[in-house]
Amino acid sequence: MTSEDSLDALIDALVRSTFQVTSVLTRIGAENDLSLTQLRVLGILRDRRPRVTELAAHLGLDKSTMSGLVDRAERRGLLARDRNPHDGRAVDVFLTPAGRELTQRLDVEIRRALAPTLGRLRPEQREQLVGLLEPLLGPADAD
Amino acid sequence: MTSEDSLDALIDALVRSTFQVTSVLTRIGAENDLSLTQLRVLGILRDRRPRVTELAAHLGLDKSTMSGLVDRAERRGLLARDRNPHDGRAVDVFLTPAGRELTQRLDVEIRRALAPTLGRLRPEQREQLVGLLEPLLGPADAD
DNA sequence: TATTGTTATACTCTATAACTATA
DNA sequence: TATAGTTATAGAGTATAACAATA
């Protein structure tokens, strides 16, 4: 196997695993009336209180798109806005208790959905896989 | 590290790598005026000539959604429809030459975008990674 | 009767452009 | 002037329900 081939095979496997994981996340989101994007918003807010622009940058979206996403999630009581005390232009976004509760439930569901497949690997293989993926990952931003 | 922890860490790494790959695919799609879904449609049609319902099933979408996606891609000349000769109800979908050309260009761009990151792994590590991902993957459906 | 596909409808997601308020 | 956020607008993506054509 040449180096080229090993790269092609890896890209193929990685893209396939991407669509497979995405499909699980999309399904669990849909079962809870959440788009994949809203799922990610909740995931980011788990341990952050970003302003709208930061949230948009995290997701690679325009700030106007972000406004709409925050609007709809806020209307559902999942998150809330607050003026940033240090910058009158900025608006901080954070989970409400209901949003936090839903996020935790989603975590459990995601874990439950992926566990059977990932359980095909022995624990030491899982650790090996994590070790191989880690150097590929950018700065943290799970879920 | 307990077995629970190794599973959590793996899910975290896998989800993060999923969003990272998705972001690359979304960007390359957008640069070519294609949504991630349209990108996937083209990828599926590379080596298949499915009917509308099969395509929808592949993507986990409703057939009415699929009708719209095929409509728009057809209007752009990327794919075409043909009545299935064996079943008068069915409509087969396939790439046009222009669609095939675009798909090949996208392949190159995706490869070029992912190569630098994946190049951080040595060839034997890449093979190891493929070997660990493969048992997790369902039946083929790359891109 | 059941299946395949399209259409009508409604809502979410998305970006661009124009705007207001603050820095 | 530049930045943060919202709103208006337009188009794509999505599902549900109703429909026509075929099996």
Side-chain angles (χ1 to χ4, degrees):
Chain A
M1 195 187 253
T2 71
S3 171
E4 292 295 289
D5 287 342
S6 91
L7 194 53
D8 282 344
L10 178 50
I11 289 176
D12 190 68
L14 218 45
V15 168
R16 285 170 62 194
S17 96
T18 291
F19 287 140
Q20 197 165 319
V21 172
T22 297
S23 141
V24 169
L25 298 179
T26 300
R27 175 178 57 74
I28 292 177
E31 288 168 0
N32 290 275
D33 284 302
L34 290 170
S35 69
L36 188 57
T37 303
Q38 294 282 19
L39 201 78
R40 291 193 68 185
V41 171
L42 297 184
I44 290 171
L45 293 181
R46 257 187 316 200
D47 51 5
R48 257 167 295 214
R49 191 193 163 93
R51 46 177 74 182
V52 172
T53 301
E54 287 169 348
L55 207 40
H58 256 300
L59 296 166
L61 298 172
D62 190 84
K63 55 187 179 167
S64 65
T65 300
M66 205 62 244
S67 266
L69 287 163
V70 171
D71 272 351
R72 290 185 289 276
E74 188 175 32
R75 229 177 291 135
R76 287 177 58 179
L78 300 177
L79 48 80
R81 288 185 237 233
D82 219 347
R83 278 228 103 72
N84 183 301
H86 306 303
D87 186 339
R89 300 167 300 179
V91 171
D92 295 335
V93 183
F94 56 97
L95 289 180
T96 60
R100 187 163 297 282
E101 201 185 316
L102 173 57
T103 303
Q104 280 161 357
R105 258 194 296 123
L106 291 169
D107 263 348
V108 172
E109 284 185 43
I110 290 168
R111 198 191 136 85
R112 190 174 294 151
L114 292 177
T117 299
L118 300 182
R120 288 183 210 157
L121 298 180
R122 294 189 307 278
E124 64 271 24
Q125 287 180 307
R126 292 183 216 154
E127 289 172 32
Q128 207 180 14
L129 182 46
V130 172
L132 288 166
L133 287 174
E134 238 150 30
L136 307 178
L137 298 174
D141 176 28
D143 238 351
Chain B
M1 197 186 252
T2 71
S3 172
E4 292 295 291
D5 288 342
S6 90
L7 193 55
D8 283 343
L10 178 50
I11 290 176
D12 190 68
L14 219 46
V15 169
R16 284 171 62 194
S17 95
T18 291
F19 287 140
Q20 196 165 319
V21 172
T22 298
S23 139
V24 169
L25 298 179
T26 301
R27 175 178 58 73
I28 291 176
E31 288 168 0
N32 291 274
D33 284 301
L34 290 170
S35 70
L36 188 57
T37 304
Q38 293 283 19
L39 203 79
R40 291 192 70 185
V41 170
L42 297 184
I44 291 171
L45 293 182
R46 257 187 315 202
D47 51 4
R48 257 166 296 215
R49 190 192 163 95
R51 44 177 75 181
V52 171
T53 301
E54 287 168 349
L55 207 40
H58 255 300
L59 295 166
L61 298 172
D62 190 86
K63 56 187 178 166
S64 65
T65 300
M66 206 61 243
S67 267
L69 287 163
V70 170
D71 272 351
R72 290 185 289 276
E74 188 176 32
R75 230 177 290 136
R76 288 176 57 179
L78 300 177
L79 49 80
R81 288 185 236 233
D82 219 348
R83 279 227 103 73
N84 183 301
H86 306 303
D87 185 339
R89 300 168 300 180
V91 171
D92 296 334
V93 182
F94 56 97
L95 289 180
T96 61
R100 186 164 296 283
E101 201 185 314
L102 174 57
T103 303
Q104 281 160 356
R105 258 194 297 121
L106 291 169
D107 262 347
V108 172
E109 285 186 43
I110 290 168
R111 198 190 135 85
R112 190 173 295 153
L114 292 177
T117 299
L118 300 183
R120 288 183 209 156
L121 298 179
R122 293 190 307 278
E124 65 271 23
Q125 288 180 307
R126 292 183 218 154
E127 289 171 32
Q128 207 180 15
L129 182 46
V130 172
L132 288 167
L133 287 175
E134 236 150 32
L136 307 178
L137 299 173
D141 177 26
D143 235 351

